Amino acid sequence: MSTEKTSTPGATDTSEAVTPQDDHVVENPEAAAGANTAVDPRLLVREEGLAGYLTEFKRKLRGGELGAVPVVCGLIIIMAIFQTTTGRFLEPANLSNIAQYIVGPGLIATGIVFVLLLGEIDLSAGSVAGLTAALAAVMAVKNGMNETQAVILALLAAAAIGALHGFFFAKIGVPAFVVTLAGFLGWSGLQLQVLGNTLSLNNIADGVIYSLNNTYFSNVAWANTAAVVAVAVHALSQLSDQRRRKAVDLPYRPLSEIALRSGVVAALAFGIAAVFNQARGLPLGITIFLVIVVISSFVLRRTRYGRQIFAVGGGIEAARRAGINVAWIRISVFTISGFLAGLGGLFIASQSGVSDSTLGGGNTLMMSIAAAVIGGTSLFGGRGTPWSAVLGILVIQSIITGLYMGGSSTQAVQFMITGVVLLAAVVLDSVSRRTQKSAGRA
């Protein structure tokens, strides 16, 4: 008996050759051959060209796998509306300012993304940001410590605070909501205690904290080089992924698709570089932010540790049975959240010019949590990416800036619109999860 083998690029060959040991009688040879050569149609998408991708997009839409499409579309609509109403929203100087404003809360939101992936919440991020800035300022300004050392010690303190939250949550069993709510109150009080009667300390002129938000690389070569590096990193990542999938006979992206994707990334990267160059140059703040997001994304998507975070967020008991140290994952994630909250606090202090008793208070925490959720991170755990923080905080800051430029700068209007957007994001997440479950993909 002979079997006809089918081969598709990147698809696993499911046919089997007949060996001398196959001496059993097959009652229906045609049906058996069909069973051997059946291939999941999703593996053939890239063979069908544009029609195949359209079919795959429709399948994902029906299955609730929307990804970042809704928030990207929403961001484009928001920018288009404000450009129409103000006439200057998309000016390079304004876009450069938005890029600077998003760094502080964006870093805090990136840390919260890690926590949300576990299906938990960190309510202490704002107060940790304020305390970190206060510690660094007091050590450097009041006590005369070298500012670089003060910044490092303050960030280590922020990481230790996050680890402490994780310890109480993972080892003692106190709910994360309660632990971080207590942290929110306690660290806010310690922030006031550290600042003392001063309540406000100006940044050291041209010092480390001052430079975080006020450093621009004005030479056009800096922004263009950053764009080249971004495109190269993306292309190499895609090629590496292709090579690894080909090695284990899994479906992979052809070179034509990788080239197309890299072209889109190149257009976006060089477009952003051109905007910065027309303003004041490449900002140091947004560069650090995006580097941290890229590293965080790599850790979550490409490392064993990242897969374990998603596993714990997907199901505690299943993760334990798989041999994952759940307590360690939880403690480490809260440590990351604390560290990034502290770093975000330093950028907020750099932007405002002072470390004071109000830093990290107000709507800082709510904006950071909202940014992570609006960007596409699920409140139910197991789904999200650090890029959610970038997209979400861009949406929020675009709304704030657009309203200010349009003359509606009151916080009441900002809060109401942001609240509506946040509710829409959570509703979309809930509907998406329900759709995936009904489609058998959750």
Side-chain angles (χ1 to χ4, degrees):
M1 181 178 65
S2 63
T3 60
E4 181 181 354
K5 296 179 68 176
T6 60
S7 175
T8 59
T12 305
D13 189 357
T14 55
S15 61
E16 297 178 0
V18 176
T19 62
Q21 288 77 15
D22 293 331
D23 54 357
H24 55 280
V25 177
V26 179
E27 296 181 358
N28 192 340
E30 292 78 8
N36 283 339
T37 58
V39 178
D40 188 334
R42 287 175 294 178
L43 304 184
L44 303 176
V45 167
R46 295 180 176 89
E47 283 193 347
E48 300 172 7
L50 183 60
Y53 285 106
L54 183 60
T55 301
E56 177 70 358
F57 176 76
K58 291 179 180 178
R59 182 191 67 78
K60 288 184 176 181
L61 195 63
R62 288 193 301 268
E65 301 173 59
L66 301 177
V69 173
V71 67
V72 171
C73 292
L75 182 60
I76 293 173
I77 292 172
I78 289 169
M79 289 186 169
I81 291 173
F82 285 129
Q83 174 62 22
T84 302
T85 55
T86 66
R88 50 197 173 89
F89 184 85
L90 295 179
E91 289 181 355
N94 186 55
L95 294 178
S96 179
N97 287 335
I98 290 176
Q100 287 291 72
Y101 291 143
I102 68 173
V103 175
L107 285 167
I108 300 175
T110 304
I112 289 176
V113 165
F114 277 82
V115 178
L116 290 178
L117 288 176
L118 298 182
E120 303 297 339
I121 193 66
D122 185 354
L123 299 178
S124 69
S127 58
V128 172
L131 177 59
T132 304
L135 287 172
V138 168
M139 286 187 288
V141 178
K142 275 191 173 182
N143 299 334
M145 181 183 292
N146 177 275
E147 192 177 14
T148 301
Q149 295 177 357
V151 166
I152 293 174
L153 289 176
L155 289 174
L156 289 176
I161 289 171
L164 183 64
H165 294 159
F167 173 80
F168 277 105
F169 170 50
K171 292 292 189 179
I172 307 301
V174 183
F177 179 90
V178 176
V179 171
T180 56
L181 179 59
F184 165 75
L185 297 172
W187 306 126
S188 295
L190 184 57
Q191 178 183 356
L192 296 175
Q193 185 70 31
V194 167
L195 288 171
N197 296 329
T198 308
L199 293 182
S200 178
L201 291 171
N202 293 328
N203 298 329
I204 298 175
D206 296 326
V208 175
I209 297 177
Y210 173 88
S211 301
L212 292 176
N213 191 72
N214 296 284
T215 299
Y216 293 85
F217 302 104
S218 57
N219 192 316
V220 296
W222 283 100
N224 291 333
T225 300
V228 170
V229 171
V231 175
V233 168
H234 175 270
L236 290 174
S237 173
Q238 296 288 303
L239 291 172
S240 174
D241 182 65
Q242 181 199 60
R243 184 175 63 253
R244 289 186 297 105
R245 296 179 72 86
K246 286 175 70 174
V248 292
D249 204 20
L250 287 175
Y252 57 88
R253 291 191 177 101
L255 286 176
S256 58
E257 182 182 347
I258 293 176
L260 178 61
R261 285 171 171 262
S262 298
V264 173
V265 172
L268 182 62
F270 283 101
I272 294 174
V275 168
F276 287 145
N277 285 332
Q278 291 179 55
R280 287 174 287 181
L282 178 66
L284 173 64
I286 194 66
T287 304
I288 293 175
F289 179 30
L290 292 180
V291 167
I292 288 176
V293 168
V294 169
I295 293 173
S296 299
S297 181
F298 175 82
V299 168
L300 286 173
R301 295 179 62 237
R302 302 291 187 183
T303 67
R304 181 181 179 186
Y305 173 70
R307 291 190 291 271
Q308 288 177 343
I309 291 176
F310 281 105
V312 173
I316 301 296
E317 190 56 36
R320 284 199 181 98
R321 291 175 181 271
I324 296 174
N325 188 337
V326 174
W328 155 245
I329 293 297
R330 285 174 161 176
I331 292 173
S332 63
V333 163
F334 275 91
T335 302
I336 292 172
S337 179
F339 175 82
L340 291 178
L343 185 59
L346 294 177
F347 273 95
I348 294 174
S350 179
Q351 180 183 323
S352 63
V354 297
S355 298
D356 58 20
S357 58
T358 64
L359 196 153
N363 63 345
T364 301
L365 174 64
M366 291 301 102
M367 278 183 59
S368 300
I369 295 176
V373 177
I374 290 173
T377 301
S378 175
L379 284 169
F380 305 99
R383 189 175 69 199
T385 167
W387 291 103
S388 302
V390 180
L391 292 173
I393 198 62
L394 264 176
V395 168
I396 294 175
Q397 188 59 53
S398 295
I399 292 173
I400 294 173
T401 303
L403 289 174
Y404 180 82
M405 295 176 68
S408 302
S409 58
T410 61
Q411 283 193 337
V413 178
Q414 296 173 8
F415 286 173
M416 286 188 290
I417 294 179
T418 304
V420 170
V421 174
L422 174 60
L423 179 61
V426 175
V427 169
L428 185 63
D429 179 40
S430 299
V431 172
S432 176
R433 287 177 61 86
R434 206 159 49 190
T435 305
Q436 288 186 26
K437 188 174 294 185
S438 63
R441 298 184 61 80

